[in-house]
Amino acid sequence: ISIAGIADARKLVAYPHLLERVLKPLVPDFDTRTDERLMERSAVLWPGDIGVSLLLLHGDKDADVHVSDSEALKAALEGAG
């Protein structure tokens, strides 16, 4: 289950407050390997590696992660079969 998940972490560069609050404290070497770490955490880039059924829950009024992230992940998963 993904609840209002960040499906494309690369888009977070447009939201520095989320980078500071969410990723920097949790991701090793974030400051020195930012692009690589963002790609590793962007499920839209590797939907074929998700080999289980996935329930996406996301409201369209989410103030932190836009619903388009879940919509993009849905499209990527469907595209990967």
Side-chain angles (χ1 to χ4, degrees):
I1 299 173
S2 173
I3 301 173
I6 298 168
D8 191 348
R10 299 169 304 165
K11 294 190 321 188
L12 290 179
V13 296
Y15 305 95
H17 69 286
L18 286 178
L19 282 178
E20 292 291 328
R21 193 178 84 219
V22 177
L23 288 181
K24 280 190 177 186
L26 300 173
V27 179
D29 301 326
F30 185 80
D31 287 325
T32 57
R33 299 170 75 186
T34 304
D35 291 340
E36 180 182 352
R37 296 303 185 216
L38 291 175
M39 289 176 63
E40 291 171 351
R41 285 156 178 81
S42 295
V44 295
L45 299 178
W46 36 267
D49 292 342
I50 301 172
V52 296
S53 296
L54 185 60
L55 174 63
L56 301 173
L57 301 173
H58 206 133
D60 61 2
K61 302 292 186 217
D62 191 315
D64 288 323
V65 180
H66 196 271
V67 70
S68 64
D69 259 43
S70 288
E71 293 168 342
L73 181 54
K74 176 184 181 272
L77 289 166
E78 288 175 340

